[in-house]
Amino acid sequence: MTSMYAEYLTEKTEDKIIETPMGFATYRYVPPDTVYIIDLYVRPVYRKNGAASTIADSIVEEAKKNGCKKLLGSVVPSNKGSTNSLKVLLAYGMSLQSSSTDFIIFEKDI
Ligand SMILES: CC(C)(COP(=O)(O)OP(=O)(O)OC[C@H]1O[C@@H](n2cnc3c(N)ncnc32)[C@H](O)[C@@H]1OP(=O)(O)O)[C@@H](O)C(=O)NCCC(=O)NCCS
């Protein structure tokens, strides 16, 4: 079953969402060859067990089939837990791409 938020995203935006019992991610295709993971969330009891990586892997697999060659992720330093978010992106093999006020973008070739 999809959540009401998923229904909203699908109706109102071009963004996509993957929902599992453990967590969800929203993502967006950025033409011509990039996919951007916007939000990634894993329920606390399921954390530190590879769930986020598994969700990211499934986005990457779909994106590669759609011709993507680059993955983007971002961190908002002022958000709660942003240092952990940063660690997760680095653990996933992402590199710094650019930054602006309170917004850091990471990238990875896929
Ligand atoms: C961030 C979040 C999605 C990680 O989910 P998770 O299922 O625990 O992550 P995984 O188990 O797939 O871990 C992926 C990698 O990040 C590392 N990692 C995960 N949480 C970490 C933490 N709190 N501190 C340091 N490293 C962490 C893991 O060790 C793993 O690295 P490895 O492959 O080298 O072992 C989850 O903690 C969460 O939902 N947090 C709140 C929302 C949030 O901050 N989202 C932004 C993510 S960019």
Side-chain angles (χ1 to χ4, degrees):
M1 193 181 121
T2 54
S3 68
M4 208 181 299
Y5 180 58
E7 289 174 22
Y8 165 82
L9 270 190
T10 304
E11 181 171 330
K12 296 290 287 182
T13 76
E14 298 295 325
D15 293 348
K16 301 188 176 299
I17 184 165
I18 289 181
E19 294 179 304
T20 77
M22 288 174 274
F24 79 91
T26 56
Y27 59 106
R28 180 180 301 160
Y29 284 101
V30 183
D33 63 357
T34 298
V35 64
Y36 167 40
I37 297 181
I38 305 163
D39 281 318
L40 181 57
Y41 175 76
V42 171
R43 288 184 165 135
V45 292
Y46 297 115
R47 288 181 189 170
K48 299 275 186 93
N49 204 22
S53 296
T54 300
I55 294 172
D57 286 348
S58 63
I59 293 171
V60 166
E61 282 318 302
E62 180 197 285
K64 279 163 58 172
K65 283 183 192 146
N66 286 318
C68 288
K69 304 215 174 325
K70 199 167 285 282
L71 171 69
L72 297 182
S74 57
V75 171
V76 174
S78 64
N79 277 359
K80 283 196 270 181
S82 58
T83 301
N84 284 339
S85 305
L86 174 79
K87 288 177 184 170
V88 172
L89 291 179
L90 293 175
Y92 198 64
M94 304 198 72
S95 306
L96 271 171
Q97 189 221 50
S98 60
S99 69
S100 55
T101 305
D102 206 24
F103 194 70
I104 308 174
I105 301 177
F106 293 79
E107 67 181 4
K108 181 185 177 180
D109 291 335
I110 58 173

